[in-house]
């Protein structure tokens, strides 16, 4: 087993079970290659934990056990998967939802690895070359623990020509239909890095439908396949979906159709969000609830967008087209943007705009997206419902 010695003063962090091994904390790491297992020790050679090399975020790798005697083999992953499965028992026993996360990276004990269940079709996502080196034993453990019709995989790391595909079971005809909170969506596990839905937003979508959509005009920005629009349409007066990607229109129309909603009864625009703001303001359009769920970073021909630098522009643009006493649903999935920092941006922007507001609800990840209590970035999703009084 290779050894990585901590720099002086870095022991406490890892003794307190911080899971991400950061490069600057290690005295020397040139000898560590992707997929290597190594023991983390203090300068006095006291064992703290065993980790694997999988470069991700600012990390060198992830801690996977605090026992020097534990072998990292099929049985190791089998035990982790069994525990994760037990904790998701709830999702197998409720009506109206059949898609959820089975294993959530560091929250379930192995950073860099996630497994999702889409109505019996599993998707493994590998976030580093390092974790991919354990592919054989992880797949063997999956076969022993989880029931499935098929298994697919996606590579979420760079420098690989193979981006993923079919692994086990029968190959279904895509798209498959999943159900979430009694709403149906198309999913494709074999089409690039996206699947058609972000499972981490399931509770936020439900909250929108149940409390902020009734007889309202909904604007859904960065709408992707229209998931927020589709769920809201059950109660809303009308929905408007806006996304820059051409294919978003067809995917959104298909999701409406799955739920018995005529796509022609809703509005769908293939436009840049800021261009849409200008268009809507020019035409005197107003919306009772505006959903803003942007990517953390985006670039088009005109501009570069970053949630940490430009979220205030999104809020200001929304205020121009928000109906009196309307609601903003502001979301970010950036792990680098803390809840505190996000709320500060919201507060500062709304105060500078001189509007009265009330934060109605702050939501995070659903319980299938298990987080790590000693690693704040694992709580990456922030969704804030705000009522604007004017």
């Amino acid at each position: 087993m290779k050894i990585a010695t901590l720099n002086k003063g870095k022991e406490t962090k890892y003794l307190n079970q911080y899971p991400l091994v950061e490069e600057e904390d290690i005295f020397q790491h040139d000898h560590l290659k992707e997929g290597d297992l190594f023991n983390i020790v203090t300068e006095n050679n006291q064992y703290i934990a065993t980790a694997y090399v999988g470069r991700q975020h600012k990390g060198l790798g992830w801690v996977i056990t605090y026992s020097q005697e534990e072998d990292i083999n099929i049985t190791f992953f089998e035990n982790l998967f069994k525990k994760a499965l037990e904790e998701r028992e709830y999702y197998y026993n409720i009506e109206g939802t059949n898609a959820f996360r089975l294993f959530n990276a560091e929250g379930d004990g192995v950073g860099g690895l996630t497994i999702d269940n889409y109505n019996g079709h599993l998707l493994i996502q590998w976030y580093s070359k390092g974790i991919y080196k354990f592919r054989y034993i992880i797949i063997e453990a999956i076969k022993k623990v989880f029931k499935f019709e098929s298994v697919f995989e996606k590579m979420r790391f760079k420098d690989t020509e193979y981006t993923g595909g079919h692994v086990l079971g029968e190959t279904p005809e895509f798209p498959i239909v999943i159900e979430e909170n009694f709403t149906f969506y198309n999913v494709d596990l074999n089409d690039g890095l996206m699947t058609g839905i972000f499972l981490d937003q399931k509770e936020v979508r439900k909250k929108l439908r149940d409390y902020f959509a009734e007889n309202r005009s909904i604007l859904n920005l960065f709408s992707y396949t229209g998931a927020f629009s589709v769920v809201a349409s059950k109660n809303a007066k009308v929905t408007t979906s806006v996304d820059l990607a051409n294919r978003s229109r067809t995917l959104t129309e298909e999701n409406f159709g799955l739920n018995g909603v005529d796509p022609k009864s809703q509005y769908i625009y293939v436009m840049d969000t800021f261009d849409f703001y200008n268009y809507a303001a020019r035409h005197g359009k107003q919306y009772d609830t505006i959903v803003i769920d942007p990517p953390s970073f985006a670039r088009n021909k005109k501009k570069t967008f970053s949630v940490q630098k430009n979220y205030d522009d999104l809020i200001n643009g929304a205020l121009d087209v928000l109906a009196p006493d309307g609601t903003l649903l502001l979301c970010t999935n950036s792990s680098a943007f803390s809840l505190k920092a996000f709320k500060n941006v919201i507060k500062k922007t709304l105060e500078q705009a001189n509007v009265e507001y009330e934060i109605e609800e702050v939501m995070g990840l659903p319980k299938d997206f298990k987080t790590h209590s000693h690693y704040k970035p694992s709580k990456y999703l922030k969704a804030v419902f705000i009522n604007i009084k004017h």
Side-chain angles (χ1 to χ4, degrees):
M1 180 78 70
K2 291 187 176 181
I3 302 287
T5 306
L6 289 170
N7 288 319
K8 195 170 184 181
K10 297 294 181 182
E11 304 88 354
T12 309
K13 183 165 144 184
Y14 297 98
L15 287 166
N16 287 336
Q17 303 205 342
Y18 187 79
L20 183 68
V21 183
E22 293 177 342
E23 289 196 15
E24 61 268 26
D25 295 347
I26 304 295
F27 174 64
Q28 218 172 5
H29 51 76
D30 296 350
H31 62 302
L32 298 173
K33 307 290 179 243
E34 289 285 316
D36 282 351
L37 288 167
F38 63 95
N39 287 339
I40 301 170
V41 300
T42 66
E43 60 176 352
N44 300 323
N45 213 30
Q46 177 200 344
Y47 171 84
I48 294 178
T50 301
Y52 79 89
V53 181
R55 287 178 174 82
Q56 192 186 337
H57 308 309
K58 293 175 182 174
L60 172 69
W62 296 94
V63 171
I64 52 175
T65 180
Y66 293 90
S67 167
Q68 202 167 356
E69 279 70 53
E70 188 152 34
D71 290 326
I72 308 306
N73 53 21
I74 294 170
T75 305
F76 170 81
F77 285 104
E78 213 180 316
N79 291 335
L80 282 181
F81 294 162
K82 279 178 184 169
K83 185 170 184 286
L85 186 60
E86 279 168 23
E87 290 175 356
R88 272 80 173 177
E89 197 62 37
Y90 164 81
Y91 287 98
Y92 284 101
N93 292 302
I94 55 166
E95 285 185 26
T97 295
N98 59 24
F100 47 90
R101 180 148 288 186
L102 284 172
F103 189 87
N104 194 39
E106 65 275 6
D108 282 299
V110 182
L113 173 72
T114 65
I115 306 169
D116 292 314
N117 170 35
Y118 293 88
N119 192 21
H121 301 278
L122 306 191
L123 175 65
I124 310 166
Q125 296 187 89
W126 313 95
Y127 283 83
S128 70
K129 279 186 179 177
I131 192 62
Y132 191 67
K133 293 274 176 80
F134 295 90
R135 182 179 184 271
Y136 172 76
I137 60 174
I138 287 171
I139 287 172
E140 286 303 305
I142 285 171
K143 281 155 68 173
K144 287 170 180 280
V145 176
F146 299 120
K147 289 178 182 171
F148 57 82
E149 288 181 45
S150 72
V151 177
F152 283 77
E153 64 184 350
K154 291 185 189 296
M155 314 298 129
R156 308 290 303 203
F157 54 89
K158 293 172 184 171
D159 309 322
T160 174
E161 287 180 22
Y162 171 62
T163 56
H166 178 254
V167 180
L168 293 169
E170 288 187 26
T171 309
E173 194 173 315
F174 289 116
I176 56 170
V177 177
I178 60 109
E179 188 177 10
E180 177 195 279
N181 294 316
F182 299 97
T183 307
F184 300 99
Y185 303 97
N186 277 326
V187 162
D188 189 338
L189 305 183
N190 207 19
D191 180 25
L193 289 177
M194 305 291 229
T195 64
I197 194 160
F198 296 111
L199 296 178
D200 53 5
Q201 289 275 26
K202 64 169 77 65
E203 297 302 327
V204 182
R205 282 189 282 271
K206 184 175 185 292
K207 181 70 70 173
L208 173 71
R209 179 194 68 195
D210 294 350
Y211 296 96
F212 299 95
E214 190 72 46
N215 207 29
R216 293 189 183 199
S217 173
I218 311 283
L219 172 59
N220 178 17
L221 301 165
F222 306 96
S223 59
Y224 183 34
T225 60
F228 278 111
S229 307
V230 171
V231 76
S233 69
K234 301 199 167 190
N235 297 332
K237 196 189 298 176
V238 68
T239 69
T240 300
S241 305
V242 179
D243 198 286
L244 189 55
N246 276 318
R247 63 192 300 225
S248 65
R249 179 190 295 278
T250 305
L251 295 168
T252 300
E253 287 173 348
E254 287 171 354
N255 277 335
F256 275 125
L258 277 179
N259 290 278
V261 177
D262 181 358
K264 292 187 176 67
S265 69
Q266 311 296 313
Y267 295 100
I268 302 171
Y269 293 87
V270 177
M271 277 178 93
D272 170 80
T273 289
F274 293 102
D275 291 344
F276 181 81
Y277 279 152
N278 294 333
Y279 165 80
R282 273 200 320 273
H283 289 81
K285 293 177 183 291
Q286 288 195 316
Y287 303 92
D288 302 304
T289 299
I290 300 178
V291 179
I292 305 178
D293 185 17
S296 297
F297 181 84
R299 181 184 282 129
N300 66 26
K301 288 173 189 171
K302 295 186 203 168
K303 61 174 87 72
T304 299
F305 171 85
S306 148
V307 287
Q308 283 162 289
K309 290 178 185 169
N310 306 114
Y311 214 109
D312 55 342
D313 297 333
L314 287 175
I315 296 170
N316 284 321
L319 291 174
D320 291 339
V321 294
L322 186 68
D325 300 317
T327 300
L328 298 178
L329 166 53
L330 307 177
C331 307
T332 177
N333 65 356
S334 170
S335 59
F337 203 4
S338 70
L339 178 59
K340 186 180 178 184
F342 186 43
K343 283 169 92 170
N344 282 343
V345 166
I346 294 168
K347 186 171 175 238
K348 188 178 172 187
T349 308
L350 293 176
E351 284 171 359
Q352 284 178 351
N354 206 23
V355 294
E356 267 192 71
Y357 68 94
E358 184 182 5
I359 292 181
E360 188 75 18
E361 180 115 22
V362 178
M363 298 181 73
L365 290 163
K367 59 187 178 185
D368 51 324
F369 280 72
K370 189 178 174 184
T371 60
H372 193 293
S373 55
H374 301 291
Y375 184 63
K376 282 185 181 173
S378 73
K379 300 176 177 68
Y380 63 85
L381 182 69
K382 281 77 65 177
V384 184
F385 288 88
I386 301 163
N387 289 331
I388 307 290
K389 301 168 182 181
H390 66 75

